[in-house]
């Protein structure tokens, strides 16, 4: 809801309010952002009244007493002029001018309109547009505000308009600026690398400016555009905080600055590196949308707002709240080496286990026998797959499986028909030899003919067979920026959005999973076209706990694609059980990626049980209210919880086993304290080989711990896990009152011993008792 009165602007969601004011000197400032305001009579009391212009501060207008310094204002925008010496959110220039002074001009409220060329979240009821002008410079700004009431999110973007004869150049433009008093805030950011995405960095604010972001051409695994500020001492379920993000997939820049008076100024938007936009008279430029939310309910409160916003307003409406299928991807089973017969046999195994989709990964097209060639030649290699994709999709359909394919449409190998025909289509600077990443170049999507090719290639593949799932990959960053193109990085993303938008319109029922060597482009921009993203190429379950915990701060479980892979991790060579892998992968969009033909009879039984359990609780695993209860930063355990309706699922994960483990208790928050709940651990199978030579304490004959007999038995039988279950109140669960079986402490094993081993886990089902 948007309300205006006497120069005040109130933007309210279901439980929060942002109050803005065009103040006495014409500057647009934020007065308040927090719990929902009740009455307009509150508004004047929230205004900061400057008593004077202290010390060496510069007075913006001495005639309007008391004098105001722009440094001290909670400005919604700054240009670094007229005495504002903090870092600006907007840097403009003209041939004769570098200082700009924008003041309030007008406003209007309308039904929300999309940002031209950029993804715009849906679901806002109203859009407030506030115009600021610098009449002397003949320039105009429009600040656009969107209110997403039920999601508790405010969206904001900036439009710059040149109304003068002289060219107006933009050197930096943020989507939003926000100023708040410091409350001993702790800044949380997400950083990482390949197979190491989503690490959480926490740091207190110190005087000065902290800048982070990406200059790789993508939102990147280096620094995700999500970040938050939480007051010192705020916990998981209580305490004040803010969270911020960008609806953008390109290079970005975030700035957090603490001044000497305890004010925090932050901004975020397109990276200023490789960005320079010049506007002729009448021309305009619009930024991507930035989004923000606030909560007094701690980290989990902020997560709840972010998750609801993505599920309700960001992902394509066709897939909003639609349960995602369980897929099988053949990559870690076959890599490039497969035949049609092998693929069909994997389909048979997948169907028996209850899997719903078969996704054919890299290696099906052109002369693609390895990653050095063939990329860009999007025709099926019928030597590998006689009858092409159509025949394979029919095989899947006969088995009741959906069918999908992998493509990397933005890339090309030098050894390909496409490159030989169009070497001028790659991104390069025309002076130096272009660099390769994974033996490939990036196609220049700023060129119309290249966009037409990419669109046509993907359309051709999707039209060639019964394909309802597309894994869209992107395996290297952008370099070799062409000279003289000041907005190249941004223009590339606009080109990509154009292609994705056309494909979304033409193939509305194809579920796209975005991927960029894992989570190298995990952002709200990509989620506007694809309802889920391959989170990381790392499928090791312990590392995935860390990765998914970080990503889940800003993105819901329904967007986080997770696969159960082989027991020995391809990335870390760490061996964990299939059950431990499922315990983590279930919290998100479940899939499988291992050679199903190598599963033992026991493995098949285990996997089939996992899939049946997931299907029974899929809605909660994908769309439940997610909460973090513990993390490896503070404990040997990490714990997740998701709740929907009358059921709650808790995942509890161990880092490293200890010789004298502490007693274990299960805690679940947010339940009705006056109701009873039935708690039960999901049964798991413990590999008897895990116990090594200890097996001889119970064996009547001596057995070699890795001998033929043990190996033969372990393929068919495992030990049952502990059988923790019971009836307990929501109040007791909220205080951690459900006692778990004793953790393995070096001796003894029965129904009341909880054996996890290093990096093991469990899932607990909590259901409201009848």
């Amino acid at each position: 809801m948007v309300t205006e009165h006497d120069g005040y602007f109130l933007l309210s969601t279901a439980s929060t309010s942002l109050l803005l004011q065009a103040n006495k000197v014409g500057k647009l400032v934020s007065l308040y952002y927090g719990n929902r305001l009740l009455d307009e009579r509150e508004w004047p009391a929230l205004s900061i009244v400057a008593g004077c212009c202290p010390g060496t501060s510069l007075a913006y207008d001495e005639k309007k007493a008391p004098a105001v310094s722009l440094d001290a204002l909670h400005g919604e925008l700054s240009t670094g002029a007229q005495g504002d010496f903090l870092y600006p959110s907007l840097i403009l220039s003209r041939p004769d001018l570098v200082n700009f002074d924008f003041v309030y001009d007008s406003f209007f409220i309308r039904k929300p309109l999309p940002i031209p060329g950029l993804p715009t979240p849906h679901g806002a009821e109203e859009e407030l547009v506030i115009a600021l002008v610098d009449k002397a410079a003949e320039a105009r700004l429009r600040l656009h505000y969107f209110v997403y009431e039920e999601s508790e999110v405010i969206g904001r973007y900036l439009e710059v308009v040149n109304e003068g004869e002289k060219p107006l150049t933009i050197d930096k433009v943020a989507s939003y600026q926000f100023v708040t008093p410091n409350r001993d805030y702790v800044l949380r950011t997400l950083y990482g690398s390949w197979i190491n995405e989503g690490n959480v960095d926490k740091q207190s604010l110190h005087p000065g400016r902290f800048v982070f972001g990406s200059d790789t051409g993508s939102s990147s695994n280096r620094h995700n555009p999500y970040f938050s500020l939480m007051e010192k001492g705020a916990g998981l379920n209580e305490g004040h905080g803010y969270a911020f993000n960008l609806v953008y997939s390109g290079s970005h820049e975030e700035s957090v600055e603490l001044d000497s008076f305890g004010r925090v100024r932050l901004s975020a938007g397109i990276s200023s590196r490789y960005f320079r936009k010049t506007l002729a008279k009448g021309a305009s430029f619009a930024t991507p949308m930035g989004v923000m939310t606030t909560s007094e309910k701690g980290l989990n409160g902020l997560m709840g707002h972010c998750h609801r916003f993505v599920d309700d307003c960001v992902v394509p409406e066709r897939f909003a709240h639609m349960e995602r299928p369980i897929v099988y991807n053949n990559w870690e089973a076959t890599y490039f080496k497969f035949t049609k017969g092998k693929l069909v046999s994997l389909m048979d195994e997948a169907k028996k286990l209850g899997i719903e989709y078969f996704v054919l990964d890299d290696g099906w097209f052109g002369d693609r026998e390895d990653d050095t060639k063939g990329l860009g030649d999007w025709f099926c290699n019928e030597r590998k797959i006689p009858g092409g994709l159509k025949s394979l999709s029919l095989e899947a359909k006969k088995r009741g499986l959906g069918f999908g394919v992998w493509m990397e449409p933005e890339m090309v190998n030098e050894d390909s028909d496409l490159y030989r025909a169009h070497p001028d289509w790659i991104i390069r600077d025309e002076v130096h030899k272009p660099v390769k990443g994974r033996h490939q170049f990036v196609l220049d999507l700023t060129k119309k003919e290249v966009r037409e090719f990419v669109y046509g290639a993907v359309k051709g593949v999707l039209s060639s067979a019964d394909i309802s799932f597309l894994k869209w990959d992107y395996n290297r960053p952008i370099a070799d920026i062409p000279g003289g193109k000041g907005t190249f990085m941004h223009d590339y993303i606009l080109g990509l959005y154009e292609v994705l938008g056309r494909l979304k319109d033409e193939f509305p029922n194809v579920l796209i999973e975005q991927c960029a060597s894992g989570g190298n482009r995990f952002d709200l921009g990509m989620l506007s076209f694809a309802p889920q993203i391959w989170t990381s190429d790392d499928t090791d379950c312990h590392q995935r706990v860390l990765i998914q915990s970080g990503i889940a701060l800003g993105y819901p479980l329904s967007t986080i694609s997770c696969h159960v892979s082989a027991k020995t991790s391809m990335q870390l060579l760490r061996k964990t059980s299939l059950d431990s892998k499922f315990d983590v992968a279930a919290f998100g969009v479940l899939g499988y990626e291992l050679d199903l033909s190598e599963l033992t009879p026991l493995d098949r039984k285990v996997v089939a049980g996992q899939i049946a359990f997931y299907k029974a609780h899929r809605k909660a695993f994908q769309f439940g209210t997610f909460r973090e209860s513990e993390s490896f930063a503070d404990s040997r355990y990490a714990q997740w919880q998701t709740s929907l309706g009358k059921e709650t699922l808790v995942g509890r994960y161990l880092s490293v086993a200890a010789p004298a483990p502490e007693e274990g208790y299960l805690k679940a928050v947010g339940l009705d304290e006056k109701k009873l709940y039935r708690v039960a651990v999901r049964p798991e199978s413990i590999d008897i080989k895990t116990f090594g030579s200890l097996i001889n304490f119970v064996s009547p004959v001596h057995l070699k711990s890795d001998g033929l007999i043990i190996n033969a038995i372990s393929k068919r039988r495992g030990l049952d896990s502990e059988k923790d279950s019971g009836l307990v109140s929501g109040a007791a669960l909220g205080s951690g009152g459900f006692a778990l079986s004793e953790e393995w402490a070096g001796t003894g094993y029965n129904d009341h011993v909880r054996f996890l081993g290093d990096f093991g886990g469990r899932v607990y089902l909590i259901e409201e008792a009848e």
Side-chain angles (χ1 to χ4, degrees):
M1 184 176 71
V2 179
T3 305
E4 186 276 336
H5 176 71
D6 197 23
Y8 290 93
F9 302 91
L10 181 69
L11 297 87
S12 291
T13 67
S15 64
T16 73
S17 288
L18 172 66
L19 183 63
L20 309 176
Q21 182 191 26
N23 69 9
K24 65 179 184 178
V25 294
K27 294 298 181 180
L28 185 66
V29 297
S30 61
L31 303 179
Y32 172 88
Y33 188 32
N35 287 335
R36 186 175 173 123
L37 298 177
L38 300 177
D39 194 296
E40 66 186 38
R41 290 172 293 179
E42 299 177 83
W43 300 355
L46 299 171
S47 301
I48 298 172
V49 179
C52 64
C53 188
T56 55
S57 298
L58 301 184
Y60 177 70
D61 188 344
E62 286 188 318
K63 294 179 181 180
K64 295 185 178 180
V68 173
S69 167
L70 297 188
D71 246 354
L73 292 182
H74 291 198
E76 284 289 277
L77 175 119
S78 63
T79 59
Q82 308 293 317
D84 183 350
F85 296 110
L86 297 179
Y87 193 68
S89 58
L90 177 65
I91 300 177
L92 302 173
S93 65
R94 267 185 8 188
D96 60 339
L97 187 66
V98 294
N99 293 322
F100 289 80
D101 183 19
F102 290 95
V103 295
Y104 173 76
D105 178 67
S106 60
F107 82 95
F108 59 88
I109 300 170
R110 69 185 182 188
K111 184 178 180 180
L113 296 177
I115 309 171
L118 288 161
T120 309
H122 46 85
E125 294 294 327
E126 294 177 300
E127 177 186 358
L128 168 65
V129 183
I130 299 176
L132 309 180
V133 296
D134 185 335
K135 291 182 179 178
E138 299 179 297
R140 178 178 294 269
L141 306 177
R142 296 190 187 102
L143 284 68
H144 298 253
Y145 295 85
F146 292 63
V147 179
Y148 298 92
E149 291 195 33
E150 296 306 313
S151 303
E152 311 285 10
V153 164
I154 303 292
R156 153 94 184 269
Y157 78 92
L158 177 65
E159 187 180 1
V160 183
V161 184
N162 183 13
E163 297 181 332
E165 297 293 339
K166 297 176 182 178
L168 179 67
T169 298
I170 308 170
D171 288 301
K172 171 184 168 56
V173 57
S175 295
Y176 64 89
Q177 177 175 288
F178 180 65
V179 183
T180 182
N182 187 22
R183 293 166 62 167
D184 286 330
Y185 283 120
V186 174
L187 172 67
R188 273 182 174 82
T189 61
L190 302 179
Y191 74 96
S193 62
W194 178 66
I195 66 170
N196 185 35
E197 298 89 341
N199 293 282
V200 180
D201 179 64
K202 295 189 290 185
Q203 56 178 290
S204 298
L205 301 185
H206 301 283
R209 178 171 168 250
F210 179 70
V211 181
F212 54 99
S214 166
D215 292 313
T216 66
S218 65
S219 55
S220 92
N221 50 32
R222 297 171 182 239
H223 289 283
N224 193 275
Y226 167 90
F227 68 101
S228 70
L229 286 177
M230 297 193 68
E231 66 182 354
K232 189 176 181 180
L236 292 171
N237 300 299
E238 66 287 318
H240 163 76
Y242 301 109
F244 306 88
N245 211 331
L246 282 175
V247 187
Y248 192 57
S249 310
S251 296
H252 57 94
E253 177 182 310
E254 287 72 37
S255 170
V256 180
E257 185 172 11
L258 176 63
D259 74 8
S260 299
F261 293 90
R263 287 180 288 261
V264 181
R265 177 186 287 185
L266 56 88
S267 63
I270 299 168
S271 173
S272 54
R273 189 178 180 188
Y274 306 125
F275 182 88
R276 198 161 200 259
K277 178 72 172 179
T278 299
L279 303 177
K281 182 178 180 179
S284 64
F285 179 84
T287 70
M289 182 181 287
V291 293
M292 61 185 186
T293 188
T294 183
S295 175
E296 301 297 324
K297 296 181 180 179
L299 190 65
N300 286 326
L302 290 175
M303 275 200 293
H305 293 178
C306 293
H307 291 190
R308 197 177 315 135
F309 174 64
V310 176
D311 279 332
D312 292 351
C313 305
V314 176
V315 301
E317 293 181 75
R318 164 70 178 81
F319 295 102
H321 299 282
M322 188 190 86
E323 293 182 24
R324 315 287 195 258
I326 302 169
V327 307
Y328 173 75
N329 183 293
N330 69 297
W331 176 247
E332 289 194 19
T334 64
Y335 307 111
F336 295 102
K337 300 175 181 178
F338 56 79
T339 62
K340 183 177 179 180
K342 174 65 175 177
L343 297 176
V344 171
S345 70
L346 289 171
M347 287 181 184
D348 288 332
E349 295 295 329
K351 180 61 179 177
K352 291 174 188 175
L353 295 170
I355 288 167
E356 297 162 333
Y357 267 66
F358 183 92
V359 178
L360 176 61
D361 210 278
D362 199 353
W364 59 266
F365 53 89
D367 191 20
R368 186 72 165 171
E369 300 299 332
D370 55 45
D371 62 4
T372 67
K373 55 188 174 181
L375 202 57
D377 299 337
W378 299 110
F379 54 88
C380 187
N381 183 339
E382 297 205 17
R383 287 174 299 156
K384 276 186 168 182
I385 308 175
L389 293 178
K390 185 173 184 178
S391 69
L392 204 57
S393 70
L394 290 173
E395 293 289 352
K397 190 173 185 178
K398 279 195 290 187
R399 291 159 177 80
L401 296 170
F403 182 68
V405 294
W406 175 97
M407 295 182 74
E408 194 174 3
E410 299 163 72
M411 303 291 168
V412 64
N413 285 130
E414 188 172 17
D415 186 359
S416 68
D417 293 344
L418 177 63
Y419 182 82
R420 283 184 284 270
H422 299 285
D424 57 319
W425 280 8
I426 68 168
I427 295 175
R428 59 178 305 166
D429 67 10
E430 306 299 338
V431 175
H432 304 96
K433 182 179 179 180
V435 297
K436 293 179 182 177
R438 205 189 179 215
H439 314 293
Q440 62 198 45
F441 298 125
V442 187
L443 292 171
D444 187 349
L445 293 184
T446 70
K447 296 180 176 180
K448 180 175 177 56
E449 63 270 28
V450 177
R451 296 196 299 275
E452 288 299 325
F453 167 79
V454 171
Y455 166 75
V458 179
K459 177 182 177 180
V461 170
L462 296 180
S463 302
S464 70
D466 188 0
I467 296 171
S468 51
F469 187 103
L470 173 64
K471 183 176 179 180
W472 182 299
D473 213 340
Y474 171 88
N475 277 311
R476 60 152 289 181
I478 295 175
D480 307 305
I481 312 302
K485 297 184 178 180
T487 56
F488 180 85
M489 290 290 214
H490 179 63
D491 292 341
Y492 180 91
I493 294 298
L494 293 180
L496 174 61
Y497 287 157
E498 177 192 309
V499 172
L500 288 171
R502 292 174 67 187
L503 290 168
K504 185 177 79 167
D505 291 342
E506 182 136 2
F507 300 95
N509 296 320
V510 172
L511 193 159
I512 299 177
E513 178 176 279
Q514 278 290 335
C515 175
S517 294
N520 207 13
R521 220 161 47 182
F522 205 118
D523 59 70
L524 300 181
M526 285 294 102
L527 288 171
S528 300
F529 302 96
Q532 63 192 57
I533 297 177
W534 178 236
T535 317
S536 177
D537 284 348
D538 195 334
T539 53
D540 173 77
C541 60
H542 176 68
Q543 197 64 32
R544 270 294 187 127
V545 172
L546 298 169
I547 291 168
Q548 291 171 214
S549 292
I551 295 299
L553 291 178
Y555 307 93
L557 302 185
S558 64
T559 67
I560 299 174
S561 181
C562 323
H563 288 181
V564 173
S565 61
K567 295 174 186 176
T568 299
S569 161
M570 174 182 166
Q571 296 78 32
L572 300 182
L573 303 182
R574 178 185 285 150
K575 188 172 184 178
T576 50
S577 71
L578 293 176
D579 272 326
S580 294
K581 291 176 180 292
F582 171 80
D583 293 338
V584 178
F587 284 79
V589 181
L590 178 67
Y592 287 79
E593 188 169 347
L594 70 168
D595 193 339
L596 300 178
S597 68
E598 295 182 0
L599 295 179
T600 67
L602 178 59
D603 290 337
R604 290 189 179 92
K605 180 180 178 182
V606 165
V607 170
Q610 293 171 356
I611 291 172
F613 184 85
Y614 185 81
K615 287 180 177 178
H617 308 288
R618 175 169 15 202
K619 196 79 173 178
F621 274 129
Q622 294 182 358
F623 295 102
T625 298
F626 179 76
R627 297 178 177 93
E628 184 179 12
S629 304
E630 279 184 83
S631 79
F632 289 140
D634 309 305
S635 169
R636 283 197 308 133
Y637 280 92
Q639 183 169 304
W640 299 336
Q641 173 183 323
T642 180
S643 303
L644 185 68
K646 295 184 177 182
E647 69 179 26
T648 291
L649 294 133
V650 176
R652 188 163 173 80
Y653 313 105
L654 177 65
S655 55
V656 179
E662 63 273 20
E663 292 182 354
Y665 294 87
L666 187 69
K667 182 176 182 177
V669 299
L671 304 179
D672 189 329
E673 294 187 355
K674 297 180 180 179
K675 290 184 177 179
L676 286 175
Y677 293 85
R678 193 169 303 281
V679 182
V681 65
R682 186 184 74 85
E684 299 199 4
S685 179
I686 311 299
D687 188 348
I688 61 173
K689 292 166 64 177
T690 305
F691 293 90
S693 62
L694 286 176
I695 199 75
N696 287 300
F697 274 90
V698 295
S699 173
V701 296
H702 184 82
L703 299 171
K704 291 183 178 179
S705 59
D706 197 34
L708 289 174
I709 295 176
I710 289 293
N711 280 320
I713 295 172
S714 69
K715 290 178 181 179
R716 291 165 176 79
R717 292 290 302 274
L719 295 176
D720 293 336
S721 61
E722 75 283 1
K723 294 179 171 57
D724 287 343
S725 64
L727 202 63
V728 66
S729 69
L733 280 166
S735 59
F738 183 81
L740 300 175
S741 291
E742 179 183 354
E743 188 179 328
W744 166 266
T747 184
Y749 189 80
N750 56 45
D751 288 352
H752 301 291
V753 173
R754 185 165 41 102
F755 182 85
L756 295 143
D758 291 349
F759 318 117
R762 290 289 188 274
V763 171
Y764 299 87
L765 174 62
I766 303 172
E767 294 180 292
E768 189 177 313
E770 294 297 331

